[in-house]
Amino acid sequence: MKPLSIFVIVAAVVIVAPSVWMLGPGSSWWLVHVDGVTGLTGKDLAAAVDAVRGRVLAAATGLAALAALVFTALNADTARRTFHLGERGHDTDRYGKAAEQLGNAEAPVRLAGLYALEQLAQNNPALRQTIVDVITAYLRMPYTPPTDDDQKDAGPAVPRAAIGGRAEPPGGRDPREERQVRLAAQRILTTHLRGPAPAQRRRRQRATPSPDEFWPGILLDLTEALLIDFDFRDCRVSKAAFAGATFKRDAHFDGATFKRDAHFDGATFNGDAHFDGATFNGDAHFEGATLNGDAHFAGATLKRGASLYFDGATFNRGARFDKARFHGTTFDGDARFYSDWAALKRGTRFRRITFNGDVSFDGATFDGGVSFDGSAFNGDAHFAGATLKRGASLYFDGATFNRGARFDEATFDGDAQFRRTTFNGDARFDGATFNGDTSFHETRFNDSARFDGATLKRGASLYFDKAAFNGDAQFRRTTFNGDTSFHETRFNDSARFAWATFNGNTSFVGAGFKRGSFAWAAFNGNAGFVGADFNSNASFVGATFLGGAKFGWATFKRGAQFDKVTFSGNASFDGATFKRGTRFRGTTFNGRTSFERVHQSQRVHLDGAFVASKAIGAEHEWPPGWRMEPDGEGGGVLRRDVAPDAQLGRDTGPEPSAGAGQGHSS
């Protein structure tokens, strides 16, 4: 028995039966036993009984009305459930018919199906994700655009009012009409995924949707879809998959918000790709993506804990990351851009970006002007094996590396600029090749800097003017085939140039060394150390100078070792200051040598130094206390002068005065 029937029976028993009894003999019983009225006769008794019956009748009427109200409510709820079941069945029918229309050969029918699905989703939030899945599945189906589709479309998607009954031409769907259907499908998605714009975006947004049009929490799967003039500006999705998608002409993701992971790996952007102001709350994948137009990521944000991947991506035109906040211009997660097959072409900008996580450009190819000016790398920065193509440029002016910077085995065929860059962690350029001009002007190396085994190609120049090395500076076995300048550079820890080769002109003019080693280095061009300041022992043991060597007005505060050095050109120490003993034992002078006006607090030792036969006729200025004698083989050997020796005292004793001493000419 139905609940409603049970209710009717119970109500009848509870209301009708007692009421009938009370209207009959029960009224007299009620009058005596409940009201306590006795002794009445005649008209008085009849009036009292009628009064009881009136009250019973009123109570029965009220109970009947209440029962009728409850009955009506129960009946209405049943009707409502019946209506909803009917509606659900109706929605199911509408959904089935609309989905079936998408497979129709006629474009207007397919458009009608799309609009029907849109209205159904708008009225029924529970169906929105399902309907989005149907629309995205339609866009993922294979499609070949018309051959003349490189031209702009003549107009927007077909409006609802234009849906007619035009038949398709023989042989299948007309690609031009199919393009209009796809544009309509794209518009439906973006219209309902575009959230109400913040105040700062409303000015540039073409149409601000009302809040009830926005479909929140949508998962969007457009994997391998072909998308035309895709406009996703200010849209918000929970998760998005565009892996392998092809974006024909420009793609706009300006201001878009991806609450979870966003996949663009393997996607192809045939026009410009706009991600200005986009927000990635989850990982952003662009591995293997191809960007054939300009790529814009200015002001984009990668939230903390998320990572950005560009492994194997190819930028065939300019890429701009100006003020990108991969978080306040910040990458808070790890950022991996390129692997050994990646290419970055034409101009790319990462200016004033902050990378809080590790960033990797290992094996990247920079084929255009690439700028990291003013950027901050708070994690490890990897550029190992990267290649800067000839004619391209790479800029790190004003950048800051707060942890390790790895440029090992990198190849700079174009010009590279590291001016006023700060390396607070290890800077490694071991094995790097510099084929273009490279500048480290006013750069600060606050930890160790390693250029061991690096190569500067002929015709290229390397500048470290006014740079500061506050940690170890290692240039061992480095080859400088072009001109190299360390003008006024400060080496505040060890500077190691042992076995380095300088095939071009080299300048250390005004440089300052706490500890400097050039042991067995080869200077095959002119070498200038004019005004250099060596605060600790300076070692040039075994070095060779094929060109001119100038140490004029240099200061050796704790001695220097020039043992077994070969000066093939002219050597000048004019005005130099030697505050501790300096040795030239076994040194060979093949050109004119001058120690004119040297200052020495302790003796300069020239024991066993040789003057080659070709330099015998040249004018030489030796330090006080030394003279050249023929060696019997056409050359000369430097000997102590007796008189000056007696005047200066023992080799280890100081001179009477630190004033300038004028040596004698050979």
Side-chain angles (χ1 to χ4, degrees), residues 71-87:
F71 176 81
T72 302
L74 290 175
N75 194 43
D77 183 64
T78 301
R80 191 162 43 247
R81 287 199 301 270
T82 303
F83 174 78
H84 285 315
L85 288 174
E87 277 291 300

Side-chain angles (χ1 to χ4, degrees), residues 3 8 34 44 89 108 144 152 168 179 202 205 243 251 263-264 333 351 373 381 390 441 473 502 548 581 587:
V8 172
V34 176
D44 293 336
T144 301
K152 286 290 183 181
E168 297 290 330
R179 177 181 55 193
R202 288 175 186 160
Q205 194 167 334
H263 287 270
F264 292 86
R351 292 177 179 171
D373 292 348
R390 187 175 303 279
H441 180 74
F502 299 87
T587 298

Side-chain angles (χ1 to χ4, degrees), residues 593-643:
T593 307
S594 177
F595 286 83
E596 187 176 0
R597 296 186 300 278
V598 297
H599 301 259
Q600 56 183 77
S601 299
Q602 292 187 358
R603 188 177 306 283
V604 176
H605 299 273
L606 291 165
D607 300 300
F610 296 92
V611 179
S613 58
K614 64 181 181 180
I616 289 295
E619 294 184 357
H620 304 278
E621 294 287 344
W622 304 113
W626 296 92
R627 60 185 174 81
M628 183 176 65
E629 292 182 355
D631 64 356
E633 297 180 359
V637 63
L638 295 176
R639 301 297 185 189
R640 293 182 184 177
D641 216 355
V642 176

Side-chain angles (χ1 to χ4, degrees), residues 324-349:
R325 300 168 51 116
F326 289 110
H327 206 139
T329 342
T330 301
F331 288 87
D332 280 322
D334 295 341
R336 293 190 296 134
F337 285 83
Y338 310 103
S339 55
D340 53 6
W341 62 85
L344 201 76
K345 300 182 179 180
R346 295 187 65 176
T348 303
R349 300 179 184 178

Side-chain angles (χ1 to χ4, degrees), residues 328-384:
T329 342
T330 301
F331 288 87
D332 280 322
D334 295 341
R336 293 190 296 134
F337 285 83
Y338 310 103
S339 55
D340 53 6
W341 62 85
L344 201 76
K345 300 182 179 180
R346 295 187 65 176
T348 303
R349 300 179 184 178
F350 292 87
R351 292 177 179 171
R352 297 182 297 280
I353 290 180
T354 300
F355 299 89
N356 282 330
D358 295 344
V359 57
S360 176
F361 286 85
D362 289 345
T365 298
F366 300 97
D367 203 6
V370 181
S371 173
F372 290 87
D373 292 348
S375 292
F377 299 84
N378 294 325
D380 290 332
H382 299 271
F383 290 82

